């Protein structure tokens, strides 16, 4: 069987991993000249945002025989709105490295496969799907889904990802919500180690030309005392893809719209959807059925994004204040069964009332 994977990111490499377990050697095409993101950064996988109830790393190892290491566990989350602050502690998730460094998720996955990658290869979907029995789109971008008219935007934002140096508490992340610099989105700081961290600003309804303005507002309002040594600007797209497979073309990861539009967590879904696409190809299964629990979950989390799109700073204060109430905070962060999606009915009611008003 001839299988092409477009993209040597997390979802594409996970797909190759699963295919090779079944004796299928895919051909991997990568637009960049290397594996991994264009810039090194750290990202979060929050336990309460993930669909599965068990530890995500144990889940991947037990269910898919995939051993992935985190940079560190996430044991503290500091949430700050203009007038409120909440600190949550416990088993909150994991911090992962992304990019070209040896310890990144991309390179961990790459070390587990034998297939070679054809770099600097910008292939056309119309041609490649004729040459191969199966094509897996793992580009992390909506370009091909838009070309095939199966993509709908859910959330589009500009982002600045900066590397900063200073003194940092490992296993702790800080998240800011403030309309003055992040609109209906957010900013977060995640340590790489005790002396270096990733500072990321995500701002919706913003042009790339205006990103400097909002970045300046962030540094001004939060008095961030760190030295910025480099930054990288990009666009993020969250959306819906329907259907997730068209004839011999399957979509995985963010190319399939499997990054949630609420907070933008997508690494776990990217890995799992890549594996499921590989299983569907190798075993002749229905990929759409396999990935349905993930896509259904994305739809649920979008209700929270719709609610956030109506928030003003007073609402961010209420939300941060509410989750900081003793008892509420413990129920959310120390309850292994609690998931954000448990509150989707409340989010739907809120959105309905907002729409009527």
């Amino acid at each position: 069987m001839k299988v092409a994977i477009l993209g040597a990111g997390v979802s594409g490499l996970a797909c190759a991993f699963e295919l090779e377990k079944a004796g299928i050697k895919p051909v991997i095409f990568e637009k960049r000249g290397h594996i991994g993101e264009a810039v090194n950064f750290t990202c979060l996988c929050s336990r309460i945002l993930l669909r599965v109830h068990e530890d995500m790393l144990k889940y991947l190892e037990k269910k898919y025989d995939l051993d992935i290491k985190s940079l560190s566990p996430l044991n503290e989350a500091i949430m700050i709105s203009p007038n409120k602050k909440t600190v949550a502690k416990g088993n909150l998730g994991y911090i992962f490295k992304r990019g070209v460094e040896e310890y990144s998720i991309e390179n961990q996955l790459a070390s587990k496969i034998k297939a070679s990658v054809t770099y600097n290869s910008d292939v056309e979907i119309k041609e490649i799907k004729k040459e191969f029995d199966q094509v897996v789109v793992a580009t992390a971008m909506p370009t091909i889904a838009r070309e095939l008219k199966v993509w709908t935007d859910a959330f589009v934002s500009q982002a600045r990802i900066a590397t900063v140096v200073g003194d940092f508490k490992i296993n702790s992340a800080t998240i800011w919500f403030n309309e003055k610099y992040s609109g209906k989105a957010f900013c977060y700081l995640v340590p790489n180690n005790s002396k270096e961290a990733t500072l990321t600003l995500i701002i919706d309804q913003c042009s790339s030309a205006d990103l400097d303005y909002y970045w300046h507002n962030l540094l001004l309002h939060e008095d961030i005392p760190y030295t910025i040594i480099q930054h990288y600007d990009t666009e993020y797209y969250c959306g819906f893809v329907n259907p997730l497979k068209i004839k011999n073309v399957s979509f995985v990861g963010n190319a399939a719209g499997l990054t949630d539009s609420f907070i933008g967590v997508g690494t776990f879904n990217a890995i799992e959807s890549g594996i499921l696409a590989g299983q569907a190809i190798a075993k002749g299964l229905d990929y759409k059925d396999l990935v349905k629990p993930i896509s259904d979950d994305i739809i649920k989390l979008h209700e929270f994004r719709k609610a956030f799109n109506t928030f003003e700073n007073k609402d961010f204060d209420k939300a941060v204040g509410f989750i900081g109430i003793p008892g509420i905070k413990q129920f959310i962060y120390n309850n292994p069964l609690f998931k954000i999606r448990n509150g989707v009915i409340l989010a739907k009611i809120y959105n309905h009332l907002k729409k009527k008003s």
Side-chain angles (χ1 to χ4, degrees):
M1 184 184 296
K2 293 175 62 180
V3 181
I5 298 174
L6 310 186
V10 170
S11 57
L13 295 169
C15 183
F17 168 79
E18 189 65 24
L19 287 169
E20 289 189 355
K21 281 167 55 179
I24 299 171
K25 187 176 180 180
V27 179
I28 306 173
F29 298 94
E30 170 55 47
K31 189 175 182 178
R32 296 191 180 106
H34 54 80
I35 284 175
E37 301 286 341
V39 63
N40 295 312
F41 65 97
T42 42
C43 69
L44 302 174
C45 276
S46 169
R47 176 184 59 78
I48 66 172
L49 283 168
L50 294 182
R51 189 185 83 262
V52 299
H53 286 288
E54 58 189 293
D55 179 285
M56 66 166 287
L57 297 183
K58 292 179 181 178
Y59 173 87
L60 291 173
E61 185 169 12
K62 182 172 71 174
K63 188 165 185 178
Y64 303 118
D65 195 28
L66 177 61
D67 180 25
I68 293 292
K69 305 296 184 186
S70 69
L71 187 64
S72 66
L74 176 64
N75 299 133
E76 180 182 76
I78 304 167
M79 290 154 282
I80 302 172
S81 62
N83 300 294
K84 295 288 182 178
K85 178 180 178 180
T86 289
V87 179
K89 296 184 179 183
N91 179 21
L92 306 182
Y94 290 102
I95 297 172
F96 290 100
K97 192 71 176 179
R98 299 293 303 273
V100 300
E101 292 184 357
E102 182 180 359
Y103 203 67
S104 70
I105 296 182
E106 293 92 332
N107 278 309
Q108 288 188 59
L109 285 165
S111 70
K112 300 177 186 299
I113 66 172
K114 297 178 180 178
S116 60
V117 180
T118 302
Y119 295 107
N120 302 306
S121 181
D122 192 7
V123 301
E124 293 289 336
I125 189 64
K126 291 180 181 179
E127 298 302 321
I128 207 77
K129 69 180 183 179
K130 296 176 184 177
E131 297 176 24
F132 288 83
D133 300 311
Q134 297 289 333
V135 177
V136 178
V137 179
T139 57
M141 295 294 288
T143 310
I144 294 176
R146 282 179 173 160
E147 182 181 337
L148 298 180
K149 297 180 169 47
V150 295
W151 175 276
T152 302
D153 281 328
F155 185 71
V156 180
S157 63
Q158 297 288 332
R160 175 162 293 178
I161 304 169
T163 301
V164 297
V165 293
D167 293 315
F168 304 101
K169 184 178 180 181
I170 299 174
N171 306 333
S172 176
T174 304
I175 307 169
W176 293 272
F177 303 95
N178 194 316
E179 275 194 299
K180 291 182 178 178
Y181 53 76
S182 59
K184 314 300 182 184
F186 51 92
C187 174
Y188 64 85
L189 177 79
V190 184
N192 304 334
N193 51 55
S194 62
K195 296 297 180 183
E196 184 182 282
T198 298
L199 178 66
T200 301
L201 173 65
I202 299 176
I203 169 75
D204 64 315
Q205 298 182 354
C206 165
S207 69
S208 57
D210 291 332
L211 196 50
D212 280 335
Y213 168 79
Y214 289 105
W215 182 257
H216 175 75
N217 278 354
L218 164 66
L219 300 180
L220 179 67
H221 283 91
E222 300 304 339
D223 189 28
I224 293 175
Y226 309 119
T227 301
I228 300 168
I229 58 175
Q230 64 177 5
H231 73 258
Y232 171 78
D233 296 343
T234 187
E235 284 185 309
Y236 277 117
Y237 298 90
C238 296
F240 303 106
V241 173
N242 187 29
L244 286 167
K245 183 170 185 179
I246 308 171
K247 296 182 179 179
N248 66 334
V249 178
S250 303
F251 294 89
V252 297
N254 196 45
L258 298 179
T259 297
D260 83 76
S261 60
F262 176 38
I263 297 295
V265 174
T267 300
F268 179 78
N269 287 348
I271 294 172
E272 188 167 32
S273 64
I275 290 173
L276 293 176
Q279 288 184 353
I281 291 169
K283 300 177 182 179
L285 303 176
D286 189 323
Y287 172 62
K288 290 178 284 187
D289 285 346
L290 291 178
V291 83
K292 190 175 186 299
I294 304 175
S295 54
D296 285 350
D297 197 56
I298 291 296
I299 293 172
K300 290 179 182 178
L301 291 175
H302 186 59
E303 292 294 331
F304 295 95
R305 167 45 53 197
K306 289 193 289 186
F308 257 42
N309 286 345
T310 70
F311 273 28
E312 299 175 354
N313 275 344
K314 62 181 181 180
D315 301 303
F316 287 122
D317 281 337
K318 289 177 183 177
V320 172
F322 175 76
I323 61 177
I325 296 173
I328 298 291
K329 181 166 67 172
Q330 283 71 21
F331 176 77
I332 293 175
Y333 290 101
N334 296 330
N335 179 359
L337 298 179
F338 180 82
K339 300 290 180 180
I340 284 289
R341 65 202 40 79
N342 297 152
V344 69
I345 294 176
L346 295 176
K348 286 183 177 180
I349 292 172
Y350 173 88
N351 292 332
H352 177 71
L353 295 175
K354 274 290 185 179
K355 189 174 181 179
K356 286 184 67 176
S357 63

